Amino acid sequence: MHSKKQTPVKYYVGIDVGSASVRAALVDEYGTVVAHADQPVQIWEPQPDHYEQSSADIWAACCSVTKKVVCGVDASRIRGVGFDATCSLVVVDKHFQPLAVNCEGQNYRNVIMWMDHRAVSQVERINATQHRVLSYVGGVMSVEMQPPKLLWIKENLQELCWEKAGYFFDLPDFLSWKATGVTARSLCTVVCKWTYTSDGGWDDSFWKVIGLEDLVKDKYEKIGNHVLSPGESVGKGLTPEAAKDLGLPEGIAVAASLIDAHAGGLGVIGADVKGHNLPCENQPITSRVAMICGTSSCHMGVSEKPIFVPGVWGPYFSAMVPGLWLNEGGQSATGKLIDHVVRGHVAFPELQSKAAASAHSIYTYLNSHLDLIKKSLPVGFLTVDLHVWPDFHGNRSPLTDLTLKGMVVGLTLSRGLDELALIYLATIQAIALGTRHILETMQAAGHHINTLFLCGGLSKNPLFVQMHADITGKPVVLSKEVESVLVGAAILGACASGDFTSIQVCSS
């Protein structure tokens, strides 16, 4: 976000809805985060593989963190707002009131989270059709996408939800609707998670063959028949009600949104790397992969022409960087997997107390403990006899097998902190090997990748970063501005404001 210096400085608000928290940042016109805040949001897990949230809870958190970051700032200098969010499914009735996505009829729980795997049989039936739209999702649709979730609702909550539903939103689009009152959808969400194509739009035959012909009958009003490019201005900007909720001026520009991983990719993939002797210097942006690593991980690679990669989502045209095709690999559980392994170990209470006593996070403490026990060899060799297969929540890419389970080989009778540190290390290495598998599959299909750009929560863990560099054999670049996802969201707001002519100009 570069521009000639002007006074007074202009600001943009980026709002990022992750799996477990909402964050906001105030970003200036030079791309610097000048204030940020975060707040947790609730997750319900009523039964295994069912994950639900509340759109009201999420919006309340958006309002709370935004008010914090703009507090004390001259409102006339805030020019635009951009949202990004997880690709979760939000259901509301014809009056935009929340509808239950659960058998208990709890209407406030109206969001099926991206990581929800309830629609296994539905996605198997969708994939069995071998419909042509599936070629744009790596040949096999994921249970984490929206069509199987919609089919599950129709088959399991016909009277409770399906017949009453007025609109089905991807969460990023719900947020832009909440801010503007306009039901337009982002090209990013509908292309990546709903089977819309940038050249042909919706394919009637797909929805009919999978049993969701009702959506075609209403001319796709329920899932979106007005599609905008990410960063395009939505409606007339903030409504009076949303402006009051967020603590921002009425009418300021609101951008068509992005999925959170795509906002992270946008925030880092165009970074200026001159003078660092990296292989991607003076090379096109297509030589880079942005890896957004948090609860799950996404691997975003762009190309000038469509590349069909088996087991990797896409190619999607203009879904992240306008004018370029996007392929998106991913791992369904990374940060969540590390947390699961560490917190479930018998030595976790000991780790917790020792980390607290040293005033460090549990992961900083584990990293330093590994350094203590590594002796003369590099830390990676500590796990020569301990191996993890990381697909505890199935494999998203490139095996596309949601039935896969996790595995640990090489366990001993040890129960102490040393063993916890080793299984933590082996889990990180397994995730890095999964990344290598994805990159190799993308390269075999025609991508030319020489540099990895990391952002997201796990990119703040130096062991995670180092293992990815060691195991992929590629240099890893971290942005000077660590909150890359928030910067990506703010870039959308800057673009919508008209202060910058395009997303490329904002992000370079």
Side-chain angles (χ1 to χ4, degrees):
M1 233 187 269
H2 293 300
S3 171
K4 289 184 181 176
K5 181 143 181 142
Q6 300 171 352
T7 50
V9 174
K10 296 171 183 173
Y11 295 107
Y12 311 93
V13 176
I15 301 169
D16 163 50
V17 179
S19 299
S21 67
V22 174
R23 304 182 305 149
L26 188 67
V27 181
D28 69 19
E29 61 193 282
Y30 310 108
T32 304
V33 174
V34 295
H36 66 92
D38 63 89
Q39 181 170 314
V41 287
Q42 194 163 354
I43 297 173
W44 287 269
E45 190 181 353
Q47 53 186 292
D49 288 335
H50 287 229
Y51 295 95
E52 298 168 5
Q53 290 184 311
S54 159
S55 63
D57 179 46
I58 289 168
W59 179 250
C62 289
C63 297
S64 175
V65 292
T66 302
K67 283 177 177 173
K68 287 176 184 174
V69 299
V70 302
C71 184
V73 177
D74 180 354
S76 67
R77 291 160 66 182
I78 302 172
R79 303 272 301 151
V81 181
F83 292 95
D84 74 77
T86 64
C87 50
S88 299
L89 178 67
V90 185
V91 187
V92 295
D93 67 17
K94 294 173 179 66
H95 305 289
F96 297 97
Q97 296 304 303
L99 274 177
V101 294
N102 48 76
C103 300
E104 296 87 354
Q106 301 287 342
N107 282 333
Y108 61 91
R109 284 163 37 202
N110 67 319
V111 180
I112 299 180
M113 288 188 72
W114 64 269
M115 61 184 180
D116 185 289
H117 280 195
R118 70 181 67 183
V120 172
S121 70
Q122 286 77 15
V123 81
E124 287 173 351
R125 280 181 274 139
I126 290 171
N127 286 327
T129 68
Q130 297 185 325
H131 194 279
R132 59 180 173 269
V133 300
L134 300 179
S135 64
Y136 286 90
V137 291
V140 181
M141 179 168 284
S142 168
V143 70
E144 295 171 10
M145 293 180 176
Q146 309 302 9
K149 291 174 182 171
L150 293 170
L151 189 55
W152 185 92
I153 290 173
K154 182 177 180 179
E155 293 178 347
N156 292 273
L157 303 174
Q158 177 83 28
E159 295 180 8
L160 198 62
C161 180
W162 185 258
E163 292 176 358
K164 297 176 182 176
Y167 301 90
F168 299 99
F169 287 103
D170 218 274
L171 181 54
D173 295 326
F174 170 82
L175 297 172
S176 61
W177 165 76
K178 193 74 176 169
T180 66
V182 175
T183 60
R185 307 311 206 271
S186 166
L187 183 69
C188 173
T189 60
V190 293
V191 164
C192 295
K193 306 299 173 187
W194 298 72
T195 73
Y196 188 91
T197 58
S198 48
D199 54 353
W202 298 116
D203 188 317
D204 293 359
S205 66
F206 170 71
W207 297 100
K208 289 173 181 175
V209 79
I210 69 168
L212 293 178
E213 61 284 343
D214 343 23
L215 300 176
V216 182
K217 286 176 191 168
D218 65 17
K219 297 180 181 176
Y220 297 103
E221 185 184 7
K222 289 183 178 179
I223 62 173
N225 48 27
H226 179 203
V227 178
L228 300 175
S229 295
E232 199 173 336
S233 184
V234 181
K236 297 178 181 177
L238 280 181
T239 63
E241 184 183 3
K244 184 179 178 183
D245 286 348
L246 293 163
L248 292 168
E250 178 185 338
I252 69 167
V254 176
S257 55
L258 281 171
I259 298 166
D260 55 349
H262 300 62
L266 186 64
V268 295
I269 203 165
D272 181 0
V273 297
K274 288 187 179 71
H276 295 282
N277 198 30
L278 287 163
C280 62
E281 187 174 347
N282 301 318
Q283 294 290 313
I285 196 173
T286 53
S287 67
R288 308 174 177 193
V289 160
M291 181 175 163
I292 300 84
C293 35
T295 304
S296 64
S297 289
C298 297
H299 307 73
M300 322 292 276
V302 292
S303 57
E304 291 183 0
K305 294 181 179 178
I307 299 174
F308 292 84
V309 186
V312 172
W313 297 342
Y316 304 131
F317 186 65
S318 289
M320 185 174 79
V321 180
L324 293 178
W325 294 85
L326 171 69
N327 280 110
E328 179 186 350
Q331 295 160 290
S332 293
T334 50
K336 186 173 178 64
L337 174 62
I338 295 167
D339 257 6
H340 174 79
V341 168
V342 169
R343 293 177 182 276
H345 196 276
V346 68
F348 178 69
E350 181 189 353
L351 167 65
Q352 219 172 6
S353 61
K354 287 188 173 178
S358 66
H360 286 125
S361 75
I362 57 174
Y363 294 116
T364 300
Y365 189 89
L366 280 173
N367 292 351
S368 61
H369 190 78
L370 286 166
D371 280 334
L372 283 176
I373 62 176
K374 72 179 183 182
K375 300 177 183 171
S376 58
L377 289 172
V379 69
F381 287 87
L382 283 169
T383 50
V384 67
D385 295 320
L386 181 63
H387 310 286
V388 172
W389 182 265
D391 294 328
F392 285 45
H393 201 48
N395 183 285
R396 185 191 297 169
S397 301
L399 301 179
T400 63
D401 186 345
L402 59 88
T403 69
L404 284 178
K405 303 292 186 286
M407 182 167 61
V408 183
V409 177
L411 292 172
T412 70
L413 293 174
S414 300
R415 295 162 54 88
L417 202 51
D418 284 5
E419 211 242 349
L420 170 51
L422 292 179
I423 198 167
Y424 158 70
L425 171 60
T427 303
I428 288 177
Q429 290 172 323
I431 291 167
L433 285 161
T435 292
R436 176 171 157 176
H437 192 190
I438 290 166
L439 296 181
E440 288 174 349
T441 305
M442 291 175 71
Q443 289 175 137
H447 281 276
H448 302 284
I449 301 160
N450 58 32
T451 312
L452 201 52
F453 286 67
L454 259 61
C455 68
L458 289 175
S459 70
K460 299 171 188 176
N461 182 333
L463 181 69
F464 186 89
V465 175
Q466 188 62 58
M467 288 302 106
H468 274 75
D470 291 350
I471 287 169
T472 65
K474 299 187 187 299
V476 172
V477 177
L478 300 177
S479 173
K480 189 184 295 182
E481 181 48 77
V482 296
E483 301 295 349
S484 301
V485 179
L486 285 166
V487 170
I491 284 172
L492 298 173
C495 193
S497 73
D499 294 343
F500 294 82
T501 55
S502 69
I503 278 180
Q504 283 94 328
V505 170
C506 289
S507 58
S508 61

